Amino acid sequence: ADPRNSGGSPPRADAKERQKNVLLRLAAHPDRSNIDAFSVHGYAPVVATGSRNQFGTIIDLRNGGKRIKHMQYHEGFLGQRLGPVSCVAFHEHDLRLAIGCRDVFISTYTGRLGEPQKGWT
């Protein structure tokens, strides 16, 4: 269904025509789970996605949608990290990402484009 059509009507007749005009398809999560949160950086060519299945992904749009960072749930000596994702947001100017989870935790990541050996931490 077309998300812009809030009346619940069937998809518009030109849906197949729009499929022909797709610029880039993103496979954000390796388990092909739903994308529950999505953010596009205002200046850098990156997007971030999040899933309630406890995944977060940062994608570089310059390389055909290559995944440059994948974060997932794990337990460490400091406790749980990355619960069910409810929102993702980039800093307005810097390469910083915040991922908000339904379990009241917020994870933050800082990135460096052009330095793949350092990436996002």
Side-chain angles (χ1 to χ4, degrees):
D2 188 343
R4 293 171 290 178
N5 186 352
S6 61
S9 301
R12 295 173 28 186
D14 65 344
K16 287 188 179 184
E17 185 63 33
R18 286 184 292 167
Q19 287 291 329
K20 294 178 185 177
N21 298 326
V22 172
L23 298 175
L24 179 66
R25 264 185 221 283
L26 302 175
H29 303 142
D31 69 344
R32 301 186 67 89
S33 61
N34 291 335
I35 293 175
D36 296 307
F38 186 85
S39 181
V40 179
H41 194 279
Y43 299 102
V46 293
V47 298
T49 66
S51 169
R52 70 182 81 156
N53 291 349
Q54 299 174 303
F55 289 108
T57 303
I58 301 171
I59 298 169
D60 186 350
L61 297 176
R62 295 176 302 182
N63 296 324
K66 180 182 175 190
R67 211 174 324 153
I68 56 176
K69 179 74 173 178
H70 179 74
M71 298 80 64
Q72 63 186 19
Y73 171 84
H74 72 275
E75 296 235 2
F77 70 94
L78 294 175
Q80 175 181 321
R81 304 235 348 234
L82 203 59
V85 176
S86 59
C87 60
V88 295
F90 282 105
H91 185 274
E92 188 175 349
H93 303 290
D94 293 336
L95 281 175
R96 298 179 192 273
L97 173 70
I99 298 179
C101 300
R102 293 182 182 178
D103 58 4
V104 304
F105 287 102
I106 297 174
S107 298
T108 59
Y109 299 88
T110 301
R112 292 182 180 94
L113 285 180
E115 298 181 39
Q117 70 276 10
K118 294 185 180 176
W120 289 76
T121 56

